[in-house]
Amino acid sequence: MSSALKTQLLTGPALRRVPAIPGAVSNGNLRPARVSKSKFCPIRAVVNSDQNKATEAATKSVDAKDVNGSLLVSSSSSKEGLVDVRAVITIRKKLKEKLTEKIEDQWELFVNGIGQGIMIQLISEDIDPVTNSGKSVESAVRGWLPKPVTSSNVNIFQYEANFGVPSDFGNPGAILITNLHGKEFYLLEIVVHGFDGGPVFFPANTWIHSRKDNAESRIIFKNQAYLPSQTPAGIKDLRREDLLSIRGNGKGERKHHERIYDYAVYNDLGNPDKDKDLARPVLSGEERPYPRRCRTGRPPTKTDPLCESRIEKPHPVYVPRDETFEEIKQNTFSSGRLKAVLHNLIPSIAASLSSSDIPFTCFSDIDKLYNSGFLLKDDDEQNGRSKLFLATVIKQFLNVGDRLFKYETPAVIRRDRFAWLRDNEFARQTLAGVNPVNIEFLKEFPILSKLDPAIYGPPESAITKELIEEELHGLSVEKAIEEKRLFILDYHDLLLPFIEKINSLPDRKTYASRTVFFYNKAGMLRPLAIELSLPPSRSSPQNKHIYTHGHDATTHWIWKLAKAHVCSNDAGVHQLVNHWLMTHASMEPYIIATHRQLSSMHPIYKLLHPHMRYTLEINALARQSLINGGGIIEASFSPGRYAMELSSAAYKSFWRFDMEALPADLLRSDKIVRGMAEEDPSMPSGVRLVIEDYPYAADGLLIWCAIKEWVESYVAHFYSEPNSVTSDVELQAWWSEIKNKGHHDKRNEAWWPKLETKEDLSGIITIMIWTASGQHAAINFGQYPFGGYVPNRPTLMRKLVPQENDPGYEKFLLNPQHTFLSSLPTQLQATKVMAVQDTLSTHSPDEEYLGQVNQLHSHWINDPEVLNMFDKFSANLEEIEKIINTRNKDFRLKGRCGAGIPPYELLLPSSGPGVTGRGIPNSISI
């Protein structure tokens, strides 16, 4: 290395991270480390200097000058012998590269080979008495044209850096890495060999920014978990500095290379600068509360200073650099595929199905989507991009024909194409479908509304005790309630305030619905009555319609239309409330707070880390193309432009952190009474199901208990001392930030759990992991299997149920099938949402499932006891999978086994790639 380059590397801002480098070594030779004549710059986060008083003393570490005026470090360790230490740096390159990128890579290999591309500093856990900082040695990374590590990982390369480490160096605790290249690279891990205890692992799995983008070096800690109070003295300041750099200063627009986590309100869904009809209210505050999202810092719109300007497709929305999809995910699935669906496939479908957007005219039109497919027109505007997408991204849909688009047959009709027509299947899906979380025990009559009667009319339901008893054929309501055999799907209070606005939209007609079910002695749930309500008017102060299944043809068709309206409501609540709000949006603040307040060496960070993967990126994509003004959700679901306001209303009325625990939700007794379980201390979960054959709950409780046992053992391992939870400053700051910043609009609620004991902590963490894994899997990966057949689960309705005095009633009598089909989404609406549902139901090839560890992340923690606990957790999940498979073959369980009934597999832990209808990923990754 030239002397000029040495000077540059040692004095440049990238290496001004430790105040002095005792016994620093270059090329294996001990020498004093030379630094700039100016005062040495300590580690500095991108924050105000007064935020880190701990680093002020570091600038006073120099105690001598050499004859040239350069600063000298203490040389006390230079008299000691040196130990040869080798650091192996593992870097991942792109799987597919352009020619220019390949040329750049060859240059990088050359630069790394001569030691001018990457610099690393090894920091000891021990303090140097002269500098009062961790002892440090440094070296350049070297290696000539490295070969792939293994033939199966051809994109993974390794380099070496060699050190001569003083014998009194102590244990290495951190590495500072500086990227001198002009672009970032992805660092998998660093393994240091040569210390007495064996190899020391520094798992990274992070993008290392270029020094030209940020002069600060990156801090990588070894795979040892430390509570804040247990942090070795040599790396204590680095722990705090790393957290400060992640938090940022809350100013400016975020840049692609940054890894800064901060909060913002949902003020980026509308685009009033583009069209006033695309203006959307800010979701924040008492009127429209909502969880917080990751801050991007974009400037406000010109039209509305309260709204943030948008980054429109195909340009990416900022997320912290390490939250972006990895290349496999980008190339084979979500980023590329979702954008292709929205930007290439859907326009092709629109062109092929005509601009008039016609309804389905007969059921064979729907069947053709799976059996025959349809030709996509060759539009010049679509040209190569659309064809490339169809050829590469979803080729499983394509027939031999070059442009023939064909959907896979959804699971709900694969075994029995007429199952969706039957009442028992309609009822079964409330327990074993894609949205099995809203059914409640019906405990009393009359069914009362909690809405203001001065605005919404009398609180009583039009479903009366007498009506129910007619359907029960002699069994009294009191007896049915006593035996816990009456249940309800109640969307009345949530939807009624929005009905008038929704029904004013073109081709949108909906009701506020209630559906009452009876659980018979044969173990089958069947619907008894459906109530469809419109807002009260002067002519109809109680504008409610009651439907039962009846015995004549007309009543049967009316009943089918009523069920379709209930399914449409269920689809909207599922997507906007249970799926988006309760999992995606609610998890985002936990992820932001975890990065901001818990060091990567904190044991709770290590526990939660697998459950945060990809979530911020998929949420950013959703804000850009799915839940935004004019996006696919507004276009395809009943609430239309009021979709996110409806989601906010649900957050205001129903969301409680403590009720996101599965047992608590089944028992729930606050503003709603689910009553689907009863307390039973003899059961592992502490509850006993009211309906034993409730597949979502029965399987979910197995997963819940496995997670709970794993978390409790992990937490007890690290928090064994009294008051260890309350004295953990990072942990307390983390929980405070989740409540007061992440869920700011709910910060004053009395139901927030305390965080004082290890039991409190275990309960909180179990809820988070369950939400990210089991809960999301149960309500996400069945979207296409159940919703891919439009009549089974229409996402919107375009007509109200015909009444005898309606002008179109006679047309209904003459052709009820046409009335039914023309009430469903149009062909374009249906095929668009089917394409998106398929995408959202697809597992990526790089998916990481609950209880599994990616081979490249196998050194995530250096703790044999923890690894043994994790092995037990994995074994429990394997046993659960066997139990679920056995249940799916038990003919006594009619909700999951029988002629034509698909097995309930949404909570089977493992899966392969694709639309499988099973598998629990660690995180909300789609």
Side-chain angles (χ1 to χ4, degrees):
M1 189 185 303
S2 68
S3 58
L5 181 60
K6 287 181 182 178
T7 304
Q8 177 188 353
L9 294 179
L10 291 173
T11 62
L15 292 182
R16 294 175 180 175
R17 300 303 305 258
V18 284
I21 309 176
V25 174
S26 178
N27 300 330
N29 297 316
L30 179 68
R31 60 164 176 77
R34 297 182 181 272
V35 296
S36 168
K37 293 183 181 181
S38 61
K39 183 176 288 187
F40 201 98
C41 179
I43 304 160
R44 182 173 295 115
V46 190
V47 291
N48 294 329
S49 59
D50 60 357
Q51 286 184 289
N52 188 19
K53 295 179 181 178
T55 60
E56 291 178 358
T59 60
K60 304 175 182 178
S61 60
V62 178
D63 58 4
K65 293 185 178 181
D66 68 6
V67 293
N68 296 319
S70 297
L71 301 180
L72 287 176
V73 302
S74 170
S75 59
S76 58
S77 59
S78 66
K79 299 176 183 179
E80 305 291 337
L82 297 181
V83 177
D84 289 332
V85 170
R86 178 172 61 100
V88 178
I89 296 88
T90 304
I91 292 173
R92 187 182 66 208
K93 298 290 186 179
K94 280 187 176 183
L95 288 169
K96 298 179 180 179
E97 292 185 314
K98 300 175 183 177
L99 178 60
T100 55
E101 291 174 324
K102 291 180 179 180
I103 294 173
E104 288 176 356
D105 280 350
Q106 293 302 311
W107 173 248
E108 285 184 15
L109 293 175
F110 172 76
V111 171
N112 288 339
I114 62 174
Q116 297 183 13
I118 304 170
M119 295 293 295
I120 67 172
Q121 292 172 283
L122 189 61
I123 312 296
S124 172
E125 292 182 338
D126 294 346
I127 285 283
D128 184 279
V130 176
T131 65
N132 202 31
S133 299
K135 298 176 182 178
S136 172
V137 293
E138 70 165 0
S139 180
V141 171
R142 292 183 177 275
W144 290 96
L145 301 177
K147 302 296 184 183
V149 176
T150 67
S151 58
S152 61
N153 291 311
V154 294
N155 63 321
I156 294 176
F157 295 85
Q158 290 184 336
Y159 301 89
E160 286 188 359
N162 296 296
F163 301 88
V165 177
S167 58
D168 64 349
F169 184 79
N171 294 319
I175 285 176
L176 306 185
I177 186 162
T178 306
N179 176 10
L180 306 179
H181 293 291
K183 65 177 184 179
E184 65 186 2
F185 63 83
Y186 192 84
L187 177 66
L188 284 171
E189 70 174 1
I190 300 174
V191 184
V192 179
H193 302 267
F195 287 93
D196 290 341
V200 183
F201 294 90
F202 293 79
N205 300 300
T206 184
W207 289 96
I208 305 298
H209 60 262
S210 168
R211 183 172 62 168
K212 72 180 180 60
D213 290 325
N214 182 350
E216 298 295 325
S217 301
R218 280 293 307 281
I219 304 170
I220 309 295
F221 295 106
K222 75 174 182 180
N223 62 341
Q224 182 70 47
Y226 291 113
L227 296 176
S229 61
Q230 300 167 343
T231 311
I235 57 174
K236 187 171 290 186
D237 285 348
L238 292 180
R239 180 175 186 140
R240 187 170 190 273
E241 286 300 323
D242 192 44
L243 284 174
L244 289 174
S245 68
I246 287 171
R247 294 173 197 163
N249 61 8
K251 300 177 181 178
E253 183 173 354
R254 299 274 65 89
K255 297 178 177 60
H256 172 76
H257 68 270
E258 293 178 329
R259 51 191 290 268
I260 293 176
Y261 296 76
D262 205 352
Y263 302 96
V265 299
Y266 275 73
N267 63 349
D268 64 337
L269 301 179
N271 194 350
D273 288 351
K274 183 176 181 181
D275 189 329
K276 65 179 182 179
D277 288 335
L278 293 178
R280 297 294 181 267
V282 175
L283 300 184
S284 172
E286 184 177 352
E287 183 180 356
R288 296 186 183 91
Y290 218 62
R292 297 301 187 255
R293 63 173 177 89
C294 187
R295 180 183 179 276
T296 61
R298 296 192 300 269
T301 61
K302 298 175 183 178
T303 309
D304 185 351
L306 297 178
C307 291
E308 186 174 272
S309 57
R310 289 180 55 77
I311 297 292
E312 294 294 356
K313 51 198 177 187
H315 303 292
V317 177
Y318 167 82
V319 293
R321 185 65 183 99
D322 291 339
E323 303 299 325
T324 55
F325 294 146
E326 295 180 24
E327 190 179 3
I328 292 177
K329 183 91 165 177
Q330 290 175 334
N331 289 345
T332 65
F333 183 46
S334 203
S335 177
R337 177 168 178 168
L338 185 56
K339 288 182 178 179
V341 166
L342 293 172
H343 312 149
N344 298 327
L345 173 62
I346 287 176
S348 297
I349 292 175
S352 299
L353 296 180
S354 94
S355 58
S356 61
D357 197 7
I358 59 176
F360 293 106
T361 57
C362 59
F363 284 98
S364 61
D365 287 343
I366 302 174
D367 294 338
K368 286 178 182 177
L369 295 175
Y370 321 108
N371 300 330
S372 304
F374 55 88
L375 290 173
L376 294 179
K377 292 182 178 179
D378 271 328
D379 190 330
D380 290 339
E381 295 181 3
Q382 304 300 324
N383 55 54
R385 292 187 63 193
S386 179
K387 290 181 180 179
L388 177 64
F389 159 69
L390 290 170
T392 61
V393 181
I394 56 170
K395 57 186 176 183
Q396 67 267 32
F397 287 162
L398 298 182
N399 203 335
V400 178
D402 183 43
R403 301 279 292 164
L404 186 64
F405 182 83
K406 185 169 71 170
Y407 284 100
E408 293 287 338
T409 303
V412 71
I413 60 166
R414 191 177 299 149
R415 296 186 178 194
D416 182 354
R417 62 175 300 197
F418 300 111
W420 68 276
L421 282 166
R422 291 193 291 269
D423 285 352
N424 62 348
E425 179 63 18
F426 171 72
R428 190 189 74 85
Q429 289 184 31
T430 66
L431 299 171
V434 70
N435 190 41
V437 298
N438 286 111
I439 188 169
E440 309 166 37
F441 168 59
L442 180 57
K443 68 175 184 177
E444 61 184 2
F445 278 93
I447 306 168
L448 299 178
S449 170
K450 296 180 177 64
L451 296 173
D452 186 349
I455 300 174
Y456 298 105
E460 292 84 3
S461 169
I463 300 177
T464 63
K465 174 182 173 182
E466 291 73 23
L467 174 66
I468 294 301
E469 287 184 338
E470 285 182 21
E471 296 296 317
L472 293 177
H473 304 295
L475 180 67
S476 70
V477 163
E478 290 79 8
K479 187 65 174 175
I481 290 176
E482 180 185 341
E483 295 178 0
K484 296 189 181 297
R485 292 166 65 184
L486 287 177
F487 298 87
I488 187 171
L489 197 63
D490 190 349
Y491 296 134
H492 179 275
D493 284 12
L494 175 62
L495 295 179
L496 192 60
F498 293 90
I499 296 299
E500 190 170 354
K501 293 190 289 187
I502 293 172
N503 287 348
S504 67
L505 299 173
D507 289 328
R508 302 289 171 98
K509 298 297 176 185
T510 191
Y511 300 91
S513 63
R514 289 188 178 105
T515 309
V516 176
F517 300 87
F518 176 65
Y519 190 66
N520 61 30
K521 291 185 177 180
M524 299 290 292
L525 195 67
R526 68 181 181 90
L528 299 181
I530 294 173
E531 175 190 277
L532 300 180
S533 300
L534 295 170
S537 61
R538 290 183 180 180
S539 60
S540 182
Q542 192 167 358
N543 202 355
K544 301 176 185 292
H545 305 277
I546 307 299
Y547 303 97
T548 58
H549 40 74
H551 301 286
D552 62 276
T554 302
T555 308
H556 270 296
W557 273 106
I558 293 290
W559 175 245
K560 287 181 179 66
L561 283 164
K563 287 196 297 181
H565 273 279
V566 173
C567 290
S568 175
N569 286 347
D570 192 68
V573 172
H574 161 259
Q575 195 66 265
L576 294 164
V577 179
N578 299 323
H579 180 209
W580 170 256
L581 167 65
M582 300 295 195
T583 63
H584 285 259
S586 294
M587 275 297 300
E588 187 151 345
Y590 313 152
I591 296 169
I592 297 171
T594 299
H595 285 281
R596 285 170 54 86
Q597 297 298 341
L598 299 183
S599 166
S600 61
M601 69 175 78
H602 196 290
I604 299 304
Y605 177 96
K606 290 184 178 293
L607 177 61
L608 286 175
H609 186 260
H611 307 288
M612 303 187 291
R613 184 177 187 237
Y614 290 160
T615 303
L616 296 190
E617 172 81 339
I618 193 61
N619 286 4
L621 281 172
R623 295 198 311 273
Q624 188 177 42
S625 301
L626 293 178
I627 63 171
N628 60 303
I632 194 69
I633 299 298
E634 288 192 0
S636 305
F637 287 78
S638 284
R641 63 178 298 151
Y642 306 104
M644 290 303 289
E645 291 182 61
L646 175 65
S647 187
S648 171
Y651 180 70
K652 182 176 184 177
S653 298
F654 304 126
W655 187 86
R656 286 181 51 159
F657 179 86
D658 58 332
M659 291 297 163
E660 295 306 292
L662 179 57
D665 178 60
L666 295 169
L667 291 168
R668 190 166 182 153
S669 59
D670 55 316
K671 291 185 178 180
I672 62 172
V673 182
R674 284 208 67 202
M676 297 303 294
E678 299 171 331
E679 292 187 5
D680 186 345
S682 69
M683 300 295 288
S685 62
V687 300
R688 182 181 298 276
L689 295 176
V690 171
I691 297 178
E692 181 184 357
D693 187 15
Y694 185 179
Y696 156 76
D699 295 357
L701 287 172
L702 294 177
I703 302 296
W704 169 269
C705 289
I707 295 172
K708 182 171 180 285
E709 180 183 337
W710 153 237
V711 170
E712 286 177 344
S713 62
Y714 185 96
V715 168
H717 177 69
F718 288 100
Y719 292 90
S720 57
E721 300 297 324
N723 304 320
S724 55
V725 170
T726 54
S727 62
D728 186 334
V729 291
E730 287 183 6
L731 191 69
Q732 294 299 323
W734 168 77
W735 185 233
S736 174
E737 187 164 290
I738 286 171
K739 294 183 294 183
N740 295 310
K741 290 187 177 181
H743 286 273
H744 179 79
D745 298 328
K746 294 269 190 175
R747 65 193 182 282
N748 296 322
E749 298 287 355
W751 41 252
W752 282 103
K754 295 180 180 179
L755 183 53
E756 297 175 349
T757 67
K758 62 183 179 182
E759 289 78 17
D760 296 337
L761 177 57
S762 296
I764 289 167
I765 298 298
T766 302
I767 288 174
M768 292 179 179
I769 294 179
W770 161 253
T771 301
S773 58
Q775 180 67 10
H776 179 259
I779 58 180
N780 180 73
F781 293 104
Q783 289 193 73
Y784 187 79
F786 286 98
Y789 187 68
V790 181
N792 180 66
R793 196 168 179 79
T795 55
L796 60 82
M797 296 294 284
R798 300 190 300 131
K799 294 181 180 179
L800 297 175
V801 178
Q803 305 298 317
E804 290 187 15
N805 57 349
D806 289 346
Y809 190 75
E810 186 174 347
K811 289 184 178 180
F812 159 68
L813 294 177
L814 293 172
N815 193 344
Q817 174 181 282
H818 180 270
T819 299
F820 180 87
L821 290 172
S822 62
S823 299
L824 302 181
T826 64
Q827 293 189 38
L828 177 58
Q829 289 171 328
T831 49
K832 283 199 302 185
V833 79
M834 286 165 66
V836 174
Q837 285 175 331
D838 173 84
T839 300
L840 299 181
S841 302
T842 301
H843 289 294
S844 174
D846 73 336
E847 198 73 87
E848 296 178 2
Y849 295 96
L850 194 64
Q852 299 177 1
V853 174
N854 188 310
Q855 183 180 359
L856 296 175
H857 304 164
S858 57
H859 300 294
W860 65 282
I861 194 168
N862 179 28
D863 193 319
E865 284 190 53
V866 169
L867 295 175
N868 287 336
M869 295 174 197
F870 186 80
D871 288 343
K872 182 180 179 182
F873 174 51
S874 300
N876 286 343
L877 291 172
E878 290 178 4
E879 187 62 30
I880 288 170
E881 189 150 322
K882 295 176 183 177
I883 293 171
I884 294 174
N885 285 329
T886 300
R887 288 174 174 177
N888 284 332
K889 297 175 183 177
D890 188 343
F891 283 97
R892 294 171 299 173
L893 302 176
K894 298 178 177 63
R896 64 200 306 159
C897 185
I901 294 176
Y904 186 77
E905 297 182 330
L906 288 170
L907 285 168
L908 279 173
S910 66
S911 176
V915 180
T916 64
R918 59 175 289 168
I920 304 176
N922 272 321
S923 62
I924 299 170
S925 56
I926 186 59

